[in-house]
Amino acid sequence: MLVAAPASLAAHNTLFGVAPRTIWRQGLELEADAEFEQYRRFFHEDSSIGNPRDIRVHKWTYGVSLTYGFTKDVATRIHVPVGYAVRDSKDGRDHYFGMEDIQVGFKFRLYNETRPGGTFQGDIFFDFKLPTAQARGPVGLLSEKISFGDETLGVMAGATWSYSTMEQYFWLDVAAEGSTMNDGRVMGPAVLFHPAYAVRVFALTDYREFDLILLFEADLEFRERMYMDRQRVVPSGYYKVHVSFGVQMNITNRIEMKIGVEVPVYQYYFNPTFVHEGTAKISFNYLI
């Protein structure tokens, strides 16, 4: 969505957004991305609490994605991630490398109003999180064996809107998420909001010129109580707010690189929870 010509708006997207993107008919996009997260604190309600075992986790996630346009208004995306985590504590050090949950998403553009210098678009999307990550323990990164998944099928459905001019871009994603029931841990349903804003640093005279864009994003998440062995855990659940800043660079509208950092600014947990300090992410995209 971040290009000079309205006809190419579908080729770009936010860095931390939850919605897939549309692309032209029979178009392909190849993407490689990497994320880094650090965990070192426990939170209860809105305050940091003790960490008596001095647990610290560093986690890297590497993914490849493919987006295909069935039409200019209908697209699908598959994302295949693997993770590597290193955990240190007073008990020693351990690590784990393994598959995370594969995601398959679909996006349907319902409305596309083109105007001089930009567009206004409205879409719906569905995203399925497949249970490809092995559930090696009931508490994720704190399990006796580090675990990246719960072996449940996750489903997200939502709507997204975007508005662009030649210099500025606005997005809003709204989504609901849930999981199938299973023995072990199952995260509760959630509602997510992702507003975003971007501004072009300098004007373009041709879409093939180098393009530099600043990205400002936010995430609001409200999650209900979780289940353990099919029983609802009371208390549990949380709500939190993240903000992010990123930079996007486009080369000839075919090659794209985005880099950014997302950090929590407010979080409230109804049960003591091991929380991350933020996410650093970089992605490379090539459109065919």
Side-chain angles (χ1 to χ4, degrees):
M1 295 179 180
L2 304 178
V3 294
S8 300
L9 286 174
H12 302 281
N13 207 1
T14 57
L15 181 58
F16 292 98
V18 296
R21 69 177 74 183
T22 51
I23 197 170
W24 58 86
R25 182 177 179 270
Q26 296 183 340
L28 282 175
E29 179 190 37
L30 302 176
E31 179 181 357
D33 62 73
E35 295 184 5
F36 171 74
E37 299 173 276
Q38 176 179 268
Y39 297 76
R40 60 181 179 84
R41 292 190 294 172
F42 286 84
F43 256 67
H44 186 206
E45 297 182 345
D46 58 358
S47 300
S48 178
I49 60 176
N51 183 0
R53 293 173 55 205
D54 193 26
I55 303 172
R56 297 172 183 267
V57 176
H58 295 85
K59 182 175 181 289
W60 294 262
T61 301
Y62 307 97
V64 293
S65 305
L66 175 67
T67 300
Y68 176 75
F70 295 107
T71 72
K72 65 182 179 62
D73 297 319
V74 180
T76 186
R77 178 178 184 264
I78 181 170
H79 176 63
V80 182
V82 295
Y84 176 67
V86 178
R87 182 175 62 193
D88 292 287
S89 71
K90 292 181 178 179
D91 303 320
R93 165 175 285 200
D94 58 342
H95 58 89
Y96 174 60
F97 176 82
M99 178 69 73
E100 297 197 18
D101 289 335
I102 293 175
Q103 292 176 262
V104 179
F106 300 89
K107 189 172 185 180
F108 305 87
R109 182 162 52 193
L110 304 178
Y111 180 77
N112 183 23
E113 178 186 342
T114 302
R115 58 189 65 191
T119 65
F120 176 72
Q121 301 182 30
D123 317 74
I124 59 172
F125 65 92
F126 302 91
D127 193 78
F128 301 90
K129 187 175 291 186
L130 308 181
T132 53
Q134 183 182 2
R136 292 157 37 97
V139 284
L141 297 176
L142 297 180
S143 301
E144 182 178 355
K145 294 182 178 180
I146 296 172
S147 177
F148 294 151
D150 299 318
E151 296 184 355
T152 61
L153 174 65
V155 181
M156 179 185 293
T160 178
W161 298 268
S162 63
Y163 173 76
S164 69
T165 68
M166 288 293 291
E167 296 83 22
Q168 301 181 81
Y169 310 86
F170 304 86
W171 296 267
L172 176 62
D173 302 338
V174 179
E177 182 183 59
S179 299
T180 57
M181 194 59 65
N182 196 5
D183 293 333
R185 183 181 69 171
V186 175
M187 300 302 292
V191 177
L192 306 96
F193 301 88
H194 184 85
Y197 168 75
V199 59
R200 177 171 277 115
V201 174
F202 46 80
L204 299 183
T205 57
D206 190 286
Y207 73 92
R208 292 167 292 186
E209 295 177 345
F210 175 77
D211 195 11
L212 182 63
I213 297 156
L214 304 181
L215 293 165
F216 304 90
E217 306 179 39
D219 281 293
L220 296 80
E221 180 178 347
F222 304 87
R223 189 167 295 275
E224 252 287 356
R225 288 170 289 181
M226 67 187 300
Y227 291 82
M228 184 65 73
D229 295 327
R230 303 180 184 270
Q231 300 296 318
R232 178 163 283 189
V233 178
V234 181
S236 62
Y238 59 81
Y239 49 90
K240 59 184 179 181
V241 180
H242 287 68
V243 297
S244 65
F245 169 74
V247 176
Q248 176 171 320
M249 291 163 280
N250 301 329
I251 304 171
T252 70
N253 203 32
R254 293 282 182 174
I255 301 173
E256 169 189 302
M257 183 180 78
K258 293 194 286 282
I259 184 170
V261 177
E262 183 180 61
V263 296
V265 294
Y266 183 76
Q267 45 196 341
Y268 190 102
Y269 295 87
F270 292 91
N271 201 40
T273 304
F274 194 44
V275 301
H276 76 161
E277 304 300 314
T279 303
K281 182 176 182 179
I282 184 169
S283 72
F284 296 90
N285 303 67
Y286 179 65
L287 295 120
I288 302 173

